[in-house]
């Protein structure tokens, strides 16, 4: 009996997919999430659970090392593919499935594959942390090939989840950290806010956490389970010559360039963006069933579904999420941004109007989605100076997500680690916006 072949066929029949999205890959991620649901292929949150690594988006040199470590952490049998555009996703998944089920390919699997062009890097650490109270919430849900990344045609080319109780990271440690043989950082010492000398641990969050802003890396200094310091890395950009087109603000970009855009198209994209943010927060909070509901509604809006087709389902989702006492308890009092603090930080959009904690912000998303649903058919021209983009009033020089990212260190410092993922998901900046701005500045 060919036991190896049987095991490979079983793995390839329904692969567990780890989706790693890079800046410029939002549309690819959305297409992949939708197709994985249609195929009933599980999307997993850690490398240990995965058979297939799907890299969504263009090549980003600064993320190659992190992708290498992510790939090395996948157990055999495994396969790795890349889709640079939404049109390539289906072919990439088919190619990955074929690679996963090939005995010859799996036998030739080396320990450390290189990126196309010969680049090879030391990877970033992976760490999962779980709060002892993770399972106590009544409303929570259940909680390689030798080649380089494969393009959609199969030729060589070029996320961990947690709620108030689960956190992970695939980011790199600071260059000054001492590491154990297993790759985890050793604790140093420093004074805490009370003047006591306690162990300090440097922990990166990102860039490939599941349900995490694309390409974002936040470096934390922890004492116990309290964040003493938080620093955000500079925005990551694709390789030279590649552009970053922020998916969620494309109607505003086109209107700013002089193209006629209807207001209905813009509010449809904005409502879908809020549902994407809501799905991310619900997944982090440990409510996967409602996260899937939000993402299905998001996909239907992006596919042009009329209001009548989505309104009843949206109302059910809004009632269930908006009235959830457990979700409100999980998110109450964390990540507080008052209206005055928002104005001083240059923040607009839902975060400024909510004027409160994570609970206030997700409820503001629900309010905005309901309002936008009544405007899907508006044919009036989009006025970019009046109509907010999903994260606030659009300004190409100072994108709204840049102000949201700048808020994160202040919101995280002094917070418990168990709340960090919820704070980030509840603000949900889009790093593609400042990345696109950085590309434009580099071009002059």
């Amino acid at each position: 009996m060919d036991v190896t072949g049987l095991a490979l066929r079983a793995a390839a029949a329904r692969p567990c997919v780890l989706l790693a999205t890079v800046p410029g890959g939002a549309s690819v991620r959305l297409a992949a999430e939708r197709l994985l649901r249609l195929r009933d292929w599980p999307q997993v949150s850690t490398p240990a659970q995965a058979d297939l690594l799907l890299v969504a988006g263009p090549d980003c040199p600064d993320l190659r090392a992190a992708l290498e470590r992510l790939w090395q952490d996948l157990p055999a049998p495994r396969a790795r593919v890349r889709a640079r555009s939404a049109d390539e996703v289906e072919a990439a998944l088919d190619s990955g499935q074929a690679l996963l089920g090939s005995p010859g390919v799996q036998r030739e699997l080396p320990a450390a594959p290189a990126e196309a062009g010969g680049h090879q890097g030391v990877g970033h650490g992976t760490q999962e942390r779980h709060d002892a109270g993770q399972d106590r919430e009544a409303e929570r849900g259940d909680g390689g090939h030798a080649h380089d990344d494969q393009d959609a045609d199969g030729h060589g080319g070029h996320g961990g989840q947690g709620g108030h109780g689960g956190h992970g990271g695939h980011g790199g440690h600071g260059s000054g950290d001492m590491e154990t043989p297993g790759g985890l950082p050793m604790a140093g010492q420093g004074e805490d806010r009370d003047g006591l000398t306690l162990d300090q641990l440097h922990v990166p969050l990102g860039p490939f956490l599941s349900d995490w802003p694309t390409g974002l890396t936040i470096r934390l200094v922890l004492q116990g389970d309290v964040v003493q310091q938080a620093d955000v890395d500079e925005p990551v950009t694709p390789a030279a010559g590649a552009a970053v087109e922020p998916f969620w603000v494309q109607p505003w970009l086109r209107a700013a360039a002089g193209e006629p855009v209807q207001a209905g198209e813009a509010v449809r994209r904005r409502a879908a963006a809020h549902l994407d943010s809501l799905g991310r927060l619900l997944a982090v909070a440990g409510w996967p069933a409602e996260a899937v509901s939000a993402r299905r509604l998001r996909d239907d809006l992006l596919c042009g579904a009329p209001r009548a087709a989505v309104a009843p389902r949206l109302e059910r989702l809004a009632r269930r999420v908006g009235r959830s006492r457990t979700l409100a308890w999980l998110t109450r009092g964390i990540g507080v941004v008052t209206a005055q603090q928002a104005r001083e930080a240059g923040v607009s959009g839902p975060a400024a109007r909510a004027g409160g904690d994570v609970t206030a912000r997700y409820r503001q998303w629900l309010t905005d989605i309901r309002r936008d649903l009544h405007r899907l058919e508006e044919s009036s021209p989009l006025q970019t100076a009046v109509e907010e983009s999903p994260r606030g009033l659009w300004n190409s020089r100072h994108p709204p997500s840049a102000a949201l990212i700048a808020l994160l260190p202040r919101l995280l410092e002094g917070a418990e680690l168990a709340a960090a993922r919820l704070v980030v998901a509840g603000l949900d900046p889009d790093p593609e916006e400042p990345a696109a701005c950085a590309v434009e500045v580099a071009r002059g």
Side-chain angles (χ1 to χ4, degrees), residues 100-258:
L100 191 59
S102 170
V105 164
Q106 296 302 319
R107 278 195 298 268
E108 297 172 2
L109 187 69
E115 289 280 11
H119 296 283
Q120 189 167 344
V122 177
H124 292 21
T126 303
Q127 185 173 2
E128 284 292 318
R129 299 183 62 126
H130 298 278
D131 180 52
Q134 180 177 12
D135 297 326
R136 69 186 177 186
E137 309 308 331
E139 290 192 36
R140 290 189 180 185
D142 49 65
H145 187 254
H147 294 62
D148 305 328
D149 294 342
Q150 302 292 313
D151 287 316
D153 60 4
H155 293 89
H158 281 97
Q161 121 175 344
H164 214 100
H167 315 281
H170 305 300
H173 304 301
S175 59
D177 296 337
M178 295 177 63
E179 294 190 353
T180 66
L184 296 178
M186 295 179 65
Q189 286 190 329
E191 288 190 358
D192 75 349
R193 291 171 296 176
D194 298 323
L196 301 176
T197 301
L198 300 175
D199 287 344
Q200 289 184 331
L201 185 64
H202 295 256
V203 176
L205 295 182
F208 292 123
L209 285 169
S210 65
D211 301 301
W212 181 258
T214 302
L216 181 68
T217 299
I218 304 177
R219 302 185 185 277
L220 306 180
V221 178
L222 300 177
Q223 287 183 314
D225 63 349
V226 177
V227 178
Q228 296 293 325
Q229 182 179 337
D231 297 297
V232 180
D233 283 5
E234 291 296 319
V236 177
T237 57
V244 176
E245 296 182 359
F247 176 80
W248 297 114
V249 296
Q250 283 183 5
W252 285 263
L253 293 175
R254 288 162 42 213

Side-chain angles (χ1 to χ4, degrees), residues 26 48 98 107 117 127 158 171 234 295 340 363-364 372 406 422:
R107 278 195 298 268
Q127 185 173 2
H158 281 97
E234 291 296 319
R295 287 161 176 166
Q340 180 178 349
R363 287 176 175 169
Q364 185 66 54
D372 285 343
L422 288 169

Side-chain angles (χ1 to χ4, degrees), residues 27-28 31 57 83-89:
S27 61
V28 186
R84 290 180 172 79
S85 69
D87 294 338
E88 296 179 2
V89 171

Side-chain angles (χ1 to χ4, degrees), residues 337 341-348 351 391 398-411 427 429-430 433-434:
V337 181
Q341 289 170 336
R343 286 194 299 271
E344 292 173 351
V347 172
S348 57
R391 272 83 182 177
H398 304 285
S401 285
L404 294 176
I405 292 172
L407 273 180
L408 285 175
R410 183 181 66 79
L411 297 182
L427 206 59
D430 181 7
E433 294 178 9

